[in-house]
Amino acid sequence: MIINVLSGKGGTGKTTVSTNLAYVLKEAGMDVQLLDTDVEEPNTHIFFDITFERERSVDILLPVVDKNKCTLCGECAKVCQFGAIVVFPTTVMVFDYLCHGCGACTMVCPERAISERPKSIGKISFGRTKEGIKYGMGLLNIGEPSGVRIIREMKKEMYDAQVTIIDSPPGTSCPVVESLRRSDFAILVTESTPFGLHDLKMAVRVVREMGIRMGVVINRYDPSFKELEDYLQSEGIPLLMRIPFDRRIAHHYSRGEIFSRHIPEWKEEFLRMYEEIEKAAGDKR
């Protein structure tokens, strides 16, 4: 089963849920794989002792225009959705940092004046935690516009684990959509604030559009903020867990520690949540 942990905004506790769930399931004897697809700022590795076994670069192919062959017809610029190639009356220019490496300009050039060169946009790394969790993470190079290609390459190397947990990027943009593909269930992590509720609604729309079952975890739970639970009830979205404001949890998180390792009662909570997820995802499958 593939479980995706996401949030409509950053800072809600997505990584807290991902790492604790992975740890608890592994402790329960399951075959667990954890992938960090938040490639702009991966941080799940902070919470584990990981031995990295391999890594590789992720490249895109950038267009190179042979100006001796180019007739300035403009077909390449017409097909580019990102404005990465522009044809002027006397020359053609390629803007590398706008290019997504789709190759469309190369395919449509009637003069075969466009070739391609590789450019590294980041890397993916794989290893194993001290507990035996199989681990993968991606890292986007600074200045690159999109991590979609890195996420796609990382997911190609997923193996068929009993449980795969994907720590998704925050928000609802293209990298999140790529991270969600093929998932059996989505855990949406939010917080008891108006901003948390606003961005949760956007994430719910994306997950529903993709036809994925979902449930919500409220982190830093504030019982006085009733609007959030009212929304979940009105939308028929299950509330999987409430994680309260708790000094002990904050203490362990600030030290890069998995709090369920040190607060045993939370192991049962995460196992209970997984059983609920398994039932919901199993009903769909």
Side-chain angles (χ1 to χ4, degrees), residues 173-232:
S173 60
C174 295
V176 176
V177 173
E178 186 61 41
S179 179
L180 276 166
R181 294 188 197 279
R182 295 173 52 201
S183 295
D184 298 304
F185 195 89
I187 301 174
L188 279 64
V189 185
T190 189
E191 58 189 9
S192 300
T193 65
F195 283 122
L197 175 57
H198 174 271
D199 292 341
L200 173 66
K201 291 178 180 179
M202 294 193 295
V204 165
R205 286 197 292 270
V206 171
V207 175
R208 278 186 170 157
E209 184 70 22
M210 297 182 72
I212 300 169
R213 293 285 178 90
M214 75 181 93
V216 169
V217 170
I218 304 177
N219 190 31
R220 297 186 291 272
Y221 176 67
D222 179 0
S224 68
F225 187 71
K226 302 293 186 184
E227 292 93 331
L228 179 52
E229 291 180 83
D230 290 344
Y231 166 74
L232 297 179

Side-chain angles (χ1 to χ4, degrees), residues 93-114:
M93 293 185 65
V94 176
F95 298 92
D96 291 355
Y97 285 99
L98 295 178
C99 181
H100 285 55
C102 68
C105 58
T106 304
M107 289 187 285
V108 302
C109 179
E111 305 298 329
R112 299 187 181 275
I114 302 177

Side-chain angles (χ1 to χ4, degrees), residues 248-259:
R248 296 175 302 165
I249 293 174
H251 169 78
H252 291 299
Y253 183 85
S254 68
R255 293 168 59 90
E257 297 172 348
I258 295 172
F259 72 83

Side-chain angles (χ1 to χ4, degrees), residues 38-92:
D38 185 3
V39 299
E40 292 188 38
E41 196 173 4
N43 62 351
T44 52
H45 62 284
I46 295 172
F47 296 87
F48 294 100
D49 182 1
I50 301 171
T51 300
F52 285 100
E53 299 161 347
R54 60 189 175 91
E55 71 175 37
R56 69 174 175 87
S57 174
V58 176
D59 300 339
I60 62 172
L61 295 175
L62 299 181
V64 178
V65 180
D66 184 342
K67 295 182 181 179
N68 292 322
K69 293 182 180 179
C70 178
T71 62
L72 304 176
C73 67
E75 292 300 316
C76 54
K78 290 177 185 176
V79 78
C80 182
Q81 299 182 33
F82 307 103
I85 187 164
V86 179
V87 178
F88 297 101
T90 59
T91 190
V92 55

